[in-house]
Amino acid sequence: MQDHHDPSPFNALPPVVVILFLAMALPEAAFSLGEAGLIGGPGAVGWRLAAIERYGFSGDVFDWMMSNGRWLPEHLMRFVTYPFVHTSFTGTLFAVVFLLALGKLVGETLGQLAVVVLFVGGGVFGALVYALVLNDPAWLVGGFPSTYGLIGGYSFVMWHTLGARGEQQLRAFSLIAMLMGIQLLWGVLFGGNNAWFADLLGFVFGFVASTLMVPGGLARVLQKLRRQ
């Protein structure tokens, strides 16, 4: 008789995606359980805020470092730590969904190194330009700039695939267009902040970086632009 085992849902995911998932999910689990009073005692209610202040990205802190020429490691690390701290369970949930779906596709198509480059690079580039261009004192936290880097990678894969099939390549940008439209509508109806700018920058980084990681990718993009 042959034994039948239910495969783990993580078996189909590239290991790097599982690691990033845990890095997002475990802090959120601690924050949510603490806010519910299930762990940590009364002080656990403040864990999320304390984590945002310690690991979130601050444009004001970046401006201070630039003005004083002091690039302190405890503040530079914020470029890579802020994607793993969220303001709510819902925000974490959406970021994790994007990570799992797009990380799997990018990992299987471009490789696990590409997942790391697009995720980390999208977050760093998004925060850097966000700080340089905007004078926004609000904390930048959450994994969306990083996961939008993966959306950039996904869009490049779709752009290349549609081109190979002779189909309309603009369809490759339908996902980012839809997400930006939702964010715009949400901001109009309920108010918002400038975090969408960092998200868009993460996408731009992801798409451009993908063209450099695929042999001949940049040449194909330039050739397509010349034809237009």
Side-chain angles (χ1 to χ4, degrees):
M1 179 180 290
Q2 184 178 7
D3 294 333
H4 296 280
H5 300 283
D6 292 330
S8 168
F10 292 111
N11 285 347
L13 295 172
V16 68
V17 176
V18 176
I19 293 172
L20 292 172
F21 164 76
L22 293 175
M24 278 189 181
L26 292 179
E28 181 57 42
F31 299 152
S32 297
L33 291 174
E35 290 165 355
L38 299 177
I39 61 173
V45 176
W47 284 354
R48 188 188 300 275
L49 180 58
I52 290 174
E53 292 177 348
R54 183 171 183 179
Y55 299 110
F57 181 81
S58 169
D60 288 343
V61 171
F62 179 80
D63 290 343
W64 179 88
M65 289 195 295
M66 276 211 314
S67 299
N68 293 276
R70 298 182 61 189
W71 304 98
L72 304 179
E74 61 265 31
H75 295 316
L76 289 175
M77 74 174 186
R78 296 173 184 272
F79 279 102
V80 294
T81 57
Y82 83 87
F84 302 103
V85 181
H86 296 79
T87 58
S88 68
F89 173 82
T90 303
T92 307
L93 180 61
F94 279 108
V96 162
V97 169
F98 284 144
L99 169 66
L100 295 178
L102 298 167
K104 175 178 170 61
L105 185 145
V106 172
E108 292 176 346
T109 306
L110 301 180
Q112 294 193 68
L113 178 59
V115 175
V116 176
V117 171
L118 299 186
F119 185 90
V120 176
V124 171
F125 183 75
L128 177 61
V129 181
Y130 174 90
L132 291 173
V133 174
L134 303 180
N135 187 26
D136 193 336
W139 290 94
L140 180 63
V141 293
F144 286 103
S146 294
T147 53
Y148 272 52
L150 296 176
I151 294 175
Y154 162 81
S155 297
F156 175 76
V157 171
M158 290 300 299
W159 185 90
H160 176 63
T161 301
L162 291 170
R165 295 174 179 172
E167 300 179 26
Q168 177 55 255
Q169 288 178 290
L170 287 178
R171 289 169 49 198
F173 303 103
S174 59
L175 177 58
I176 186 63
M178 179 187 69
L179 292 173
M180 286 290 103
I182 292 174
Q183 286 187 302
L184 176 62
L185 180 61
W186 183 271
V188 170
L189 295 178
F190 304 104
N193 52 38
N194 292 319
W196 65 268
F197 184 60
D199 300 343
L200 183 59
L201 291 167
F203 168 82
V204 171
F205 175 89
F207 188 88
V208 173
S210 295
T211 68
L212 302 177
M213 288 187 288
V214 175
L218 181 60
R220 285 194 292 270
V221 173
L222 294 176
Q223 184 180 26
K224 179 66 176 180
L225 292 175
R226 291 192 188 102
R227 290 176 180 175
Q228 294 176 347

mmCIF file of all heavy atoms in Angstrom, residues 57-75:
data_model
loop_
_atom_site.group_PDB
_atom_site.id
_atom_site.type_symbol
_atom_site.label_atom_id
_atom_site.label_comp_id
_atom_site.label_asym_id
_atom_site.label_seq_id
_atom_site.Cartn_x
_atom_site.Cartn_y
_atom_site.Cartn_z
ATOM 1 N N PHE A 57 11.252 53.480 8.527
ATOM 2 C CA PHE A 57 12.071 54.459 7.821
ATOM 3 C C PHE A 57 11.499 55.851 8.044
ATOM 4 O O PHE A 57 10.305 56.078 7.886
ATOM 5 C CB PHE A 57 12.123 54.165 6.328
ATOM 6 C CG PHE A 57 12.982 55.135 5.566
ATOM 7 C CD1 PHE A 57 14.355 54.974 5.539
ATOM 8 C CD2 PHE A 57 12.413 56.204 4.901
ATOM 9 C CE1 PHE A 57 15.158 55.877 4.845
ATOM 10 C CE2 PHE A 57 13.193 57.105 4.203
ATOM 11 C CZ PHE A 57 14.576 56.945 4.174
ATOM 12 N N SER A 58 12.382 56.768 8.389
ATOM 13 C CA SER A 58 11.974 58.148 8.644
ATOM 14 C C SER A 58 12.720 59.081 7.703
ATOM 15 O O SER A 58 13.958 59.124 7.705
ATOM 16 C CB SER A 58 12.269 58.525 10.098
ATOM 17 O OG SER A 58 12.112 59.919 10.292
ATOM 18 N N GLY A 59 11.969 59.854 6.921
ATOM 19 C CA GLY A 59 12.587 60.851 6.067
ATOM 20 C C GLY A 59 13.290 61.928 6.870
ATOM 21 O O GLY A 59 14.329 62.454 6.446
ATOM 22 N N ASP A 60 12.756 62.264 8.037
ATOM 23 C CA ASP A 60 13.394 63.267 8.889
ATOM 24 C C ASP A 60 14.752 62.786 9.389
ATOM 25 O O ASP A 60 15.722 63.553 9.438
ATOM 26 C CB ASP A 60 12.487 63.594 10.092
ATOM 27 C CG ASP A 60 11.273 64.410 9.691
ATOM 28 O OD1 ASP A 60 11.284 64.986 8.579
ATOM 29 O OD2 ASP A 60 10.310 64.478 10.477
ATOM 30 N N VAL A 61 14.824 61.529 9.772
ATOM 31 C CA VAL A 61 16.104 60.967 10.218
ATOM 32 C C VAL A 61 17.108 60.952 9.071
ATOM 33 O O VAL A 61 18.293 61.271 9.248
ATOM 34 C CB VAL A 61 15.904 59.543 10.777
ATOM 35 C CG1 VAL A 61 17.245 58.874 11.045
ATOM 36 C CG2 VAL A 61 15.076 59.594 12.058
ATOM 37 N N PHE A 62 16.633 60.603 7.867
ATOM 38 C CA PHE A 62 17.520 60.598 6.704
ATOM 39 C C PHE A 62 18.024 62.006 6.414
ATOM 40 O O PHE A 62 19.213 62.202 6.122
ATOM 41 C CB PHE A 62 16.774 60.050 5.493
ATOM 42 C CG PHE A 62 17.592 60.026 4.236
ATOM 43 C CD1 PHE A 62 18.514 59.004 4.015
ATOM 44 C CD2 PHE A 62 17.452 61.021 3.288
ATOM 45 C CE1 PHE A 62 19.279 58.981 2.851
ATOM 46 C CE2 PHE A 62 18.214 61.007 2.133
ATOM 47 C CZ PHE A 62 19.125 59.988 1.908
ATOM 48 N N ASP A 63 17.133 62.995 6.494
ATOM 49 C CA ASP A 63 17.549 64.384 6.274
ATOM 50 C C ASP A 63 18.589 64.810 7.305
ATOM 51 O O ASP A 63 19.546 65.524 6.985
ATOM 52 C CB ASP A 63 16.331 65.310 6.352
ATOM 53 C CG ASP A 63 15.392 65.134 5.171
ATOM 54 O OD1 ASP A 63 15.818 64.559 4.157
ATOM 55 O OD2 ASP A 63 14.223 65.556 5.284
ATOM 56 N N TRP A 64 18.421 64.378 8.552
ATOM 57 C CA TRP A 64 19.378 64.708 9.610
ATOM 58 C C TRP A 64 20.741 64.113 9.295
ATOM 59 O O TRP A 64 21.780 64.765 9.461
ATOM 60 C CB TRP A 64 18.869 64.197 10.951
ATOM 61 C CG TRP A 64 19.809 64.470 12.086
ATOM 62 C CD1 TRP A 64 19.859 65.585 12.864
ATOM 63 C CD2 TRP A 64 20.850 63.586 12.560
ATOM 64 N NE1 TRP A 64 20.871 65.473 13.797
ATOM 65 C CE2 TRP A 64 21.490 64.264 13.629
ATOM 66 C CE3 TRP A 64 21.288 62.321 12.182
ATOM 67 C CZ2 TRP A 64 22.561 63.687 14.319
ATOM 68 C CZ3 TRP A 64 22.347 61.759 12.857
ATOM 69 C CH2 TRP A 64 22.971 62.434 13.912
ATOM 70 N N MET A 65 20.763 62.871 8.826
ATOM 71 C CA MET A 65 22.037 62.227 8.488
ATOM 72 C C MET A 65 22.713 62.953 7.332
ATOM 73 O O MET A 65 23.942 63.152 7.337
ATOM 74 C CB MET A 65 21.812 60.754 8.139
ATOM 75 C CG MET A 65 21.460 59.881 9.323
ATOM 76 S SD MET A 65 21.612 58.096 8.973
ATOM 77 C CE MET A 65 20.333 57.886 7.728
ATOM 78 N N MET A 66 21.933 63.354 6.330
ATOM 79 C CA MET A 66 22.519 64.073 5.200
ATOM 80 C C MET A 66 23.066 65.419 5.627
ATOM 81 O O MET A 66 24.164 65.810 5.237
ATOM 82 C CB MET A 66 21.461 64.268 4.100
ATOM 83 C CG MET A 66 21.321 63.091 3.173
ATOM 84 S SD MET A 66 20.836 63.577 1.485
ATOM 85 C CE MET A 66 19.517 64.726 1.808
ATOM 86 N N SER A 67 22.303 66.150 6.441
ATOM 87 C CA SER A 67 22.713 67.488 6.864
ATOM 88 C C SER A 67 23.981 67.450 7.713
ATOM 89 O O SER A 67 24.829 68.350 7.629
ATOM 90 C CB SER A 67 21.586 68.152 7.661
ATOM 91 O OG SER A 67 20.426 68.300 6.877
ATOM 92 N N ASN A 68 24.108 66.410 8.530
ATOM 93 C CA ASN A 68 25.242 66.322 9.451
ATOM 94 C C ASN A 68 26.369 65.421 8.938
ATOM 95 O O ASN A 68 27.429 65.337 9.576
ATOM 96 C CB ASN A 68 24.764 65.801 10.808
ATOM 97 C CG ASN A 68 23.852 66.779 11.522
ATOM 98 O OD1 ASN A 68 24.304 67.701 12.196
ATOM 99 N ND2 ASN A 68 22.546 66.590 11.366
ATOM 100 N N GLY A 69 26.145 64.770 7.814
ATOM 101 C CA GLY A 69 27.163 63.893 7.280
ATOM 102 C C GLY A 69 27.478 62.714 8.177
ATOM 103 O O GLY A 69 28.598 62.193 8.176
ATOM 104 N N ARG A 70 26.508 62.278 8.934
ATOM 105 C CA ARG A 70 26.701 61.151 9.856
ATOM 106 C C ARG A 70 25.776 60.007 9.436
ATOM 107 O O ARG A 70 24.551 60.097 9.609
ATOM 108 C CB ARG A 70 26.415 61.580 11.295
ATOM 109 C CG ARG A 70 27.327 62.676 11.818
ATOM 110 C CD ARG A 70 27.013 63.018 13.264
ATOM 111 N NE ARG A 70 27.212 61.843 14.138
ATOM 112 C CZ ARG A 70 26.840 61.807 15.416
ATOM 113 N NH1 ARG A 70 26.228 62.862 15.957
ATOM 114 N NH2 ARG A 70 27.063 60.731 16.140
ATOM 115 N N TRP A 71 26.352 58.971 8.889
ATOM 116 C CA TRP A 71 25.581 57.845 8.383
ATOM 117 C C TRP A 71 25.638 56.712 9.401
ATOM 118 O O TRP A 71 26.497 55.828 9.313
ATOM 119 C CB TRP A 71 26.099 57.421 7.017
ATOM 120 C CG TRP A 71 26.072 58.573 6.054
ATOM 121 C CD1 TRP A 71 27.106 59.382 5.711
ATOM 122 C CD2 TRP A 71 24.927 59.067 5.356
ATOM 123 N NE1 TRP A 71 26.691 60.345 4.824
ATOM 124 C CE2 TRP A 71 25.355 60.182 4.592
ATOM 125 C CE3 TRP A 71 23.582 58.678 5.288
ATOM 126 C CZ2 TRP A 71 24.491 60.900 3.778
ATOM 127 C CZ3 TRP A 71 22.718 59.396 4.481
ATOM 128 C CH2 TRP A 71 23.170 60.490 3.733
ATOM 129 N N LEU A 72 24.753 56.798 10.384
ATOM 130 C CA LEU A 72 24.771 55.870 11.507
ATOM 131 C C LEU A 72 24.146 54.529 11.121
ATOM 132 O O LEU A 72 23.056 54.490 10.529
ATOM 133 C CB LEU A 72 24.009 56.468 12.685
ATOM 134 C CG LEU A 72 24.500 57.852 13.160
ATOM 135 C CD1 LEU A 72 23.647 58.349 14.310
ATOM 136 C CD2 LEU A 72 25.970 57.781 13.565
ATOM 137 N N PRO A 73 24.814 53.425 11.463
ATOM 138 C CA PRO A 73 24.299 52.100 11.096
ATOM 139 C C PRO A 73 22.894 51.828 11.607
ATOM 140 O O PRO A 73 22.091 51.202 10.911
ATOM 141 C CB PRO A 73 25.314 51.142 11.735
ATOM 142 C CG PRO A 73 26.568 51.930 11.847
ATOM 143 C CD PRO A 73 26.132 53.336 12.130
ATOM 144 N N GLU A 74 22.584 52.299 12.823
ATOM 145 C CA GLU A 74 21.253 52.019 13.381
ATOM 146 C C GLU A 74 20.144 52.724 12.624
ATOM 147 O O GLU A 74 18.965 52.363 12.743
ATOM 148 C CB GLU A 74 21.198 52.416 14.858
ATOM 149 C CG GLU A 74 21.453 53.894 15.125
ATOM 150 C CD GLU A 74 22.896 54.191 15.459
ATOM 151 O OE1 GLU A 74 23.784 53.480 14.944
ATOM 152 O OE2 GLU A 74 23.140 55.134 16.239
ATOM 153 N N HIS A 75 20.508 53.740 11.849
ATOM 154 C CA HIS A 75 19.513 54.405 11.011
ATOM 155 C C HIS A 75 19.581 53.920 9.565
ATOM 156 O O HIS A 75 18.553 53.848 8.884
ATOM 157 C CB HIS A 75 19.696 55.915 11.065
ATOM 158 C CG HIS A 75 19.429 56.504 12.413
ATOM 159 N ND1 HIS A 75 18.338 56.135 13.171
ATOM 160 C CD2 HIS A 75 20.110 57.437 13.150
ATOM 161 C CE1 HIS A 75 18.347 56.814 14.314
ATOM 162 N NE2 HIS A 75 19.405 57.587 14.326
#
